[in-house]
Amino acid sequence: MPALKAEEPGQEETVQNGGDVVYEEHDDDDGVSPSDLSELLKAGTVEAHDKAENTQFVKDFLKGHIRKELFKLGAVALYFTYSALEEEMDGNRDQPQFAPLYFPEELHRREALAKDLEFFYGENWQAVVQLSEATRKYVDRIHEVGRSEPELLVAHAYTRYMGDLSGGQVLKKVAQRALKLPSTGEGVQFYTFDNISNAKEFKQLYRSRMNDLDLDQETKHRIVEEANRAFGFNMEIFNELERVGKTIKDEVLDGGLPEYDGKGDLSKCPYYAAKTAAGGGSACACHMAMAVLRHPTGQVIMSACIALLAGVAAWYLM
């Protein structure tokens, strides 16, 4: 699923990778330069980030309008993406221009996504899921970079993991509410970083490590270009999911009633009060009416009723 990058100023230092990370706090602007990679990435991906945020799929997701089938397909895309990314990161763990950003214990998502897919698809999930066309392009590019230009893995790791630690935490709560997922975390393990106690501090540490990489300006600019390319791949996946969504019938709750969309005072809805008293759910009569009107049969019936009422009114006024 989408992970929106919400960068925060500041940087941290640590003494080790893997296991327990030791943080050392600094002032937000301590040592940060416009030529630092973290600053170049933040400034250089603003437009791509905004475009990704404004894809219809992401906007709907943030509003809680997410269908379970699309959420599951999004998790599949993430599984293949992170499998490729972490395979290449493992293979380049000793590469000097990437090694300082290798945090498998803290960041790797493949196993968490495998748990989510087992939750949604069952134990036989690996025989069910398939690599989509948009995800294949993303995966192919990650493998290409890992094998020929491993320094560009920085761009893909930054784009994904920093977003997961930022906007991804918002999306976790949205998904749990909208899809009525268990509060114990099943289905959203992807968003749970058990080995990171403070996301803000870890992101500061990560940016500090990026800024300390021994890179010339040309390589830094290539990394920014690759980060924009990564955002492009993510947008292609979002748009692919949006197209798939148009082929899926609307998911409804409570025997055909749409889920409450969070607008208005639900307690003032007479239908809600009556249904609550009867031990039912939280749908409002106005929402039920809208569901009927969206259905073609309902539209025909409504048109016929309006025509009949118009005829009666005309006869009465003659």
Side-chain angles (χ1 to χ4, degrees), residues 18-311:
D20 296 326
V21 178
V22 180
Y23 301 103
E24 184 178 328
E25 199 162 329
H26 290 267
D27 293 336
D28 284 347
D29 59 353
D30 184 22
V32 176
S33 163
S35 63
D36 283 340
L37 181 57
S38 66
E39 295 302 298
L40 292 172
L41 279 166
K42 185 161 59 174
T45 59
V46 168
E47 184 177 351
H49 179 213
D50 288 344
K51 286 181 179 179
E53 269 192 339
N54 283 287
T55 57
Q56 191 60 47
F57 179 79
V58 173
K59 289 193 292 186
D60 287 345
F61 195 123
L62 289 171
K63 294 176 183 176
H65 300 158
I66 177 67
R67 302 174 186 178
K68 181 171 285 188
E69 190 59 33
L70 290 187
F71 187 82
K72 290 162 59 177
L73 291 175
V76 171
L78 289 173
Y79 174 80
F80 285 114
T81 299
Y82 281 92
S83 294
L85 179 57
E86 289 162 11
E87 177 185 336
E88 296 303 332
M89 288 167 62
D90 289 343
N92 287 282
R93 70 180 74 184
D94 298 322
Q95 212 278 344
Q97 293 181 316
F98 179 76
L101 300 180
Y102 184 65
F103 290 97
E105 296 298 321
E106 294 83 5
L107 293 177
H108 279 196
R109 300 287 85 203
R110 183 178 183 273
E111 294 306 316
L113 283 160
K115 292 178 182 177
D116 288 340
L117 293 179
E118 183 174 353
F119 172 77
F120 286 120
Y121 291 100
E123 293 182 0
N124 197 37
W125 65 269
Q126 288 179 306
V128 176
V129 301
Q130 295 182 346
L131 183 67
S132 74
E133 180 62 22
T135 308
R136 183 190 60 77
K137 294 178 182 178
Y138 196 180
V139 165
D140 287 349
R141 178 57 183 171
I142 291 171
H143 284 310
E144 179 184 357
V145 162
R147 293 163 187 170
S148 62
E149 301 176 280
E151 64 276 11
L152 298 188
L153 283 175
V154 174
H156 291 278
Y158 166 85
T159 302
R160 288 302 329 172
Y161 293 119
M162 293 300 97
D164 300 335
L165 288 169
S166 301
Q169 301 310 297
V170 175
L171 296 174
K172 173 183 178 180
K173 295 177 182 177
V174 172
Q176 284 180 312
R177 288 196 301 266
L179 302 178
K180 301 187 182 302
L181 297 175
S183 60
T184 46
E186 288 89 342
V188 286
Q189 290 295 312
F190 167 68
Y191 299 109
T192 303
F193 292 81
D194 290 328
N195 295 321
I196 296 179
S197 59
N198 187 309
K200 180 178 179 180
E201 289 181 356
F202 186 87
K203 287 186 291 182
Q204 291 171 338
L205 158 66
Y206 200 88
R207 287 194 297 269
S208 178
R209 287 289 188 90
M210 284 198 303
N211 294 338
D212 288 340
L213 293 174
D214 186 15
L215 304 170
D216 57 33
Q217 285 302 113
E218 180 186 353
T219 303
K220 290 180 182 179
H221 287 299
R222 285 171 52 232
I223 290 173
V224 173
E225 290 176 0
E226 189 67 22
N228 281 304
R229 194 169 186 173
F231 271 110
F233 285 123
N234 280 283
M235 281 186 276
E236 286 185 29
I237 292 174
F238 298 158
N239 291 333
E240 182 181 65
L241 289 170
E242 178 67 19
R243 291 193 297 272
V244 171
K246 292 178 180 178
T247 70
I248 300 174
K249 292 181 179 180
D250 288 342
E251 293 173 0
V252 292
L253 303 175
D254 295 333
L257 299 174
E259 184 179 7
Y260 174 55
D261 61 6
K263 297 178 181 179
D265 186 351
L266 193 59
S267 65
K268 295 181 180 178
C269 175
Y271 183 78
Y272 169 78
K275 200 170 185 191
T276 300
S282 61
C284 179
C286 58
H287 295 152
M288 179 175 63
M290 291 302 295
V292 172
L293 287 174
R294 280 196 293 266
H295 195 280
T297 303
Q299 293 170 1
V300 171
I301 294 173
M302 181 59 71
S303 297
C305 290
I306 292 173
L308 178 62
L309 288 173

